[in-house]
Amino acid sequence: MSNSNPTLILVVGPFDPSGSGNLPADAITCAGLGGHAASALSAIHVQDTVSTEDIQVMTPEFLDDQARCVLEDMHIQAIKVGALYSVESVQVLAQIAADYSHLPLVLHLDTLPDHSFLDDEDPEDILSAILELLLPQTNLVLVEHNLIAHWKTDGLLPGAETETPVKALQNFGAQWVLAAGSPMRPGQYAYLLHGPEQATFNWKGQTPPARLNNTNGPLGCALAIEMGKGADVPKAVEVALALAGPLVANTFQPGMGYRLINRAIS
């Protein structure tokens, strides 16, 4: 029996009953990578492998209580934040990040939720709150290159016209940005890591299987675990890519929609 303790991660995000991504999929991934995922739910989805049908958003008070209850009891070593569905929820997480600034924070940015799922909330307002309140406290942002390029084109990432989407994120205070699927040359993509003082690193990427859901979910978990162990960001990314790559290569088709990552295969 091993005496080594798992790395303790607080995962903040929605509950996906299909197991496509977020919770509980992140908890399974963390366990397979040598971590233990405590969690704070930001929302509960009604979702299958085809689409999300409804989102029940947790109140900011409930989200705050969940996170602080765990943080005050357990020796959490890093925080991973996924989808947030209200400006007040962002405010709560920003205050928690400030109160626990010694913990590495990994922020996984993803597509904005559909307006129809949110009561009196504008997805663009939520993104603005994330950029202004949470990014300045984020150690590492994980995001798809095409997503932030789209946000930049639509004017959702304010900045000079000559700035890249990654630079626009850094202008909000993000220390490091890992852009997945960054084009290198025709038909070739990479993970590009951008850091302070124009530091850059790159790792060769592979095009994921068609119609695969939550492609970067395992990578986000691996990043949080490695940073929770104390690795610096470039080393954490290098190790996390090596750990997450084999997971993403194993997929299956459980329903009529997207393929899912088979997290049971290590």
Side-chain angles (χ1 to χ4, degrees), residues 89-125:
S89 293
V90 177
Q91 293 170 339
V92 162
L93 262 296
Q95 186 59 58
I96 290 173
D99 292 343
Y100 291 86
S101 58
H102 62 287
L103 298 179
L105 175 63
V106 176
L107 175 62
H108 185 181
L109 291 177
D110 208 343
T111 306
L112 297 175
D114 189 278
H115 190 282
S116 63
F117 293 138
L118 307 176
D119 294 331
D120 302 321
E121 290 278 357
D122 187 332
E124 294 186 10
D125 290 342

Side-chain angles (χ1 to χ4, degrees), residues 210-266:
R211 292 183 59 78
L212 174 63
N213 200 9
N214 194 234
T215 305
N216 292 315
L219 178 57
C221 292
L223 289 167
I225 289 172
E226 293 307 311
M227 292 177 66
K229 291 178 179 178
D232 62 28
V233 172
K235 183 62 176 179
V237 173
E238 180 180 359
V239 174
L241 285 170
L243 292 172
L247 280 175
V248 178
N250 292 285
T251 68
F252 69 112
Q253 185 82 45
M256 296 180 289
Y258 288 90
R259 298 186 65 84
L260 305 188
I261 296 168
N262 186 354
R263 299 165 197 266
I265 298 177
S266 59

Side-chain angles (χ1 to χ4, degrees), residues 29-30 39 70 94 98 128 131 134 159 161 181 199 207 219 229 234 243 258 264:
T29 302
C30 285
S39 59
V70 169
S128 294
L131 297 176
L134 205 50
E161 292 298 322
T207 303
L219 178 57
K229 291 178 179 178
L243 292 172
Y258 288 90

Side-chain angles (χ1 to χ4, degrees), residues 34-251:
H36 174 84
S39 59
L41 292 182
S42 61
I44 299 174
H45 288 191
V46 177
Q47 179 177 344
D48 56 21
T49 63
V50 178
S51 63
T52 300
E53 297 182 4
D54 196 9
I55 297 176
Q56 181 67 50
V57 180
M58 299 294 102
T59 66
E61 295 81 9
F62 188 64
L63 176 59
D64 188 59
D65 286 346
Q66 291 179 83
R68 291 187 183 276
C69 186
V70 169
L71 287 163
E72 291 168 8
D73 172 59
M74 301 169 67
H75 179 54
I76 297 297
Q77 293 161 267
I79 301 173
K80 175 184 178 290
V81 176
L84 300 172
Y85 296 116
S86 73
V87 171
E88 289 185 321
S89 293
V90 177
Q91 293 170 339
V92 162
L93 262 296
Q95 186 59 58
I96 290 173
D99 292 343
Y100 291 86
S101 58
H102 62 287
L103 298 179
L105 175 63
V106 176
L107 175 62
H108 185 181
L109 291 177
D110 208 343
T111 306
L112 297 175
D114 189 278
H115 190 282
S116 63
F117 293 138
L118 307 176
D119 294 331
D120 302 321
E121 290 278 357
D122 187 332
E124 294 186 10
D125 290 342
I126 299 172
L127 177 60
S128 294
I130 290 172
L131 297 176
E132 295 172 8
L133 301 178
L134 205 50
L135 249 66
Q137 303 180 78
T138 299
N139 299 89
L140 175 61
V141 176
L142 171 61
V143 66
E144 280 285 340
H145 169 84
N146 286 344
L147 178 61
I148 52 175
H150 176 71
W151 287 348
K152 187 73 165 61
T153 300
D154 287 352
L156 301 181
L157 286 179
E161 292 298 322
T162 57
E163 290 179 347
T164 65
V166 166
K167 182 60 178 176
L169 288 180
Q170 289 182 303
N171 285 343
F172 281 98
Q175 296 178 26
W176 293 85
V177 178
L178 179 60
S182 297
M184 299 295 288
R185 54 182 61 90
Q188 293 188 11
Y189 301 90
Y191 292 91
L192 291 185
L193 178 64
H194 305 257
E197 299 180 357
Q198 299 184 339
T200 58
F201 303 82
N202 71 83
W203 294 266
K204 184 179 179 180
Q206 294 182 345
T207 303
R211 292 183 59 78
L212 174 63
N213 200 9
N214 194 234
T215 305
N216 292 315
L219 178 57
C221 292
L223 289 167
I225 289 172
E226 293 307 311
M227 292 177 66
K229 291 178 179 178
D232 62 28
V233 172
K235 183 62 176 179
V237 173
E238 180 180 359
V239 174
L241 285 170
L243 292 172
L247 280 175
V248 178
N250 292 285
T251 68

